[in-house]
Amino acid sequence: MEKLGRNDKCWCGSGKKYKSCHMMMEEKIHNYELQGHIVPRRDMIKTPEQIEGIRESSKINIAVLDEIDKMIGPGVTTEEIDKLVYDLTIKMGGIPATLNYDGYPKSVCTSINDVVCHGIPSPDVVLKEGDIVNVDASTIYNGYFSDSSRMYCIGKVDEEKEKLVRVTKECVELGLEQVKPWNFLGDMAQVINDHAKANGYSVVVEIGGHGIGLEFHEEPFVSYVTRKGTEMLMVPGMVFTIEPMVNAGTADIYIDDEDGWTVYTQDGKPSAQWEVTVLVTEDGYEILTY
Ligand code: MF3
Ligand code: CO
């Protein structure tokens, strides 16, 4: 990390002197580090310009999901969802972030019932009454990344699935309440995990959230099974996703070895996920995508 003098210009591009911009904050972060906590590096703290870029990307990301809201239903194929995400993202000047990411072949992930995440859209997969499906869209705009996913109940779904979808959303909302400077990622994880468990559910361990903004997946890895007071310190300017995968049964999962992507629950019970991109602000949080 570049060592700045008090009167040097701040690294964040605000034009202000370091001493009246990020200096006090970084001293405070350093004190937490001395106490043995995991703290963000300077490059995990977004500058005002970067935050604005991520906000713009997020607008497209949200607009795409808003269109999915209108067209999704029984009889729709996941291929049609993929096409809409692709066409709309491109039309608004963006690029779907998953397309060709690590070889992923599509513009969106569509994960139905016992699929935990990374379901690949296909013309052969037709949504039917009673399904629950997660649509996970991510956007690159002007070099900035955003990411969010929503659950959809297709027609009438049974009480068990409906509750899973609702409780998972509550998990994200409870997690958000923990997002503020000088809290820890583990504070958020614990409320999410506690709420899932209180309802008889479990939270996936191996896959979690991530920092985001200049890359699709940045540090830190964001777990939803860790404990209060642990994991990385939250500081203003950090941007990450909250995206717990909540299973109706056990937390165990496996990856389809034919396509190498689709993640299933081991016990075949349903799984739900909601995802938001969130910014840590001076006094709490700002939801960038939802
Ligand atoms: N949107 C997913 C996430 O939250 C994307 C996973 S990468 C993919 O990180 F290639 F599987 F799409
Ligand atoms: Co994500």
Side-chain angles (χ1 to χ4, degrees):
M1 189 170 87
E2 189 195 351
K3 189 99 182 103
L4 290 178
R6 301 170 53 81
N7 291 311
D8 291 339
K9 276 208 162 57
C10 190
W11 55 266
C12 78
S14 63
K16 289 189 236 167
K17 286 183 177 169
Y18 183 50
K19 68 179 179 194
S20 48
C21 197
H22 276 90
M23 187 179 87
M24 297 243 284
M25 185 179 108
E26 289 191 329
E27 282 173 1
K28 194 162 170 178
I29 292 172
H30 187 60
N31 283 331
Y32 275 91
E33 189 177 19
L34 293 177
Q35 289 163 35
H37 289 291
I38 305 168
V39 301
R41 295 189 312 265
R42 189 180 277 171
D43 67 4
M44 296 181 202
I45 300 166
K46 266 62 184 179
T47 69
E49 185 188 338
Q50 291 166 345
I51 290 167
E52 200 38 47
I54 303 166
R55 267 201 200 98
E56 290 304 309
S57 175
S58 299
K59 284 182 193 161
I60 296 177
N61 187 254
I62 292 170
V64 167
L65 284 175
D66 285 347
E67 288 305 310
I68 303 293
D69 287 6
K70 296 177 197 161
M71 61 79 85
I72 201 164
V76 172
T77 68
T78 52
E79 181 79 9
E80 289 168 314
I81 295 171
D82 184 71
K83 184 170 167 20
L84 194 144
V85 170
Y86 180 81
D87 289 347
L88 215 61
T89 305
I90 298 293
K91 193 173 134 199
M92 290 188 282
I95 303 165
T98 56
L99 190 57
N100 301 319
Y101 174 82
D102 262 355
Y104 186 81
K106 293 287 183 176
S107 298
V108 68
C109 299
T110 47
S111 305
I112 304 169
N113 299 331
D114 64 329
V115 176
V116 174
C117 63
H118 304 168
I120 304 175
S122 155
D124 302 332
V125 178
V126 185
L127 296 176
K128 58 178 196 308
E129 177 107 13
D131 284 340
I132 57 169
V133 54
N134 173 274
V135 177
D136 189 340
S138 37
T139 308
I140 315 173
Y141 179 68
N142 201 13
Y144 294 105
F145 290 75
S146 55
D147 192 2
S148 63
S149 78
R150 298 180 190 169
M151 290 301 296
Y152 297 95
C153 293
I154 305 303
K156 252 180 88 73
V157 306
D158 66 36
E159 165 62 21
E160 188 201 358
K161 283 178 177 166
E162 189 275 330
K163 185 183 166 196
L164 176 66
V165 169
R166 176 168 44 82
V167 168
T168 305
K169 190 172 194 185
E170 289 166 3
C171 284
V172 172
E173 287 160 358
L174 288 167
L176 277 167
E177 287 174 18
Q178 296 299 317
V179 179
K180 50 178 159 254
W182 322 115
N183 267 15
F184 298 94
L185 289 175
D187 301 346
M188 171 191 61
Q190 172 137 22
V191 298
I192 288 174
N193 201 20
D194 286 355
H195 190 59
K197 280 206 172 134
N199 284 279
Y201 302 149
S202 58
V203 178
V204 171
V205 176
E206 298 89 337
I207 316 172
H210 48 94
I212 183 166
L214 310 186
E215 308 275 354
F216 193 177
H217 297 122
E218 299 178 353
E219 289 179 87
F221 173 75
V222 182
S223 169
Y224 310 102
V225 296
T226 50
R227 311 310 286 168
K228 192 173 164 57
T230 70
E231 302 294 306
M232 192 176 282
L233 182 72
M234 298 186 203
V235 311
M238 281 170 76
V239 178
F240 55 87
T241 67
I242 303 181
E243 51 174 318
M245 289 154 217
V246 179
N247 293 355
T250 64
D252 302 326
I253 56 172
Y254 69 93
I255 300 175
D256 185 312
D257 51 34
E258 252 153 59
D259 68 26
W261 283 103
T262 312
V263 178
Y264 293 90
T265 58
Q266 191 72 252
D267 60 12
K269 292 192 177 165
S271 181
Q273 179 185 29
W274 292 83
E275 176 176 18
V276 299
T277 301
V278 66
L279 164 72
V280 183
T281 61
E282 293 298 324
D283 55 5
Y285 63 88
E286 177 184 330
I287 299 174
L288 299 176
T289 70
Y290 58 87

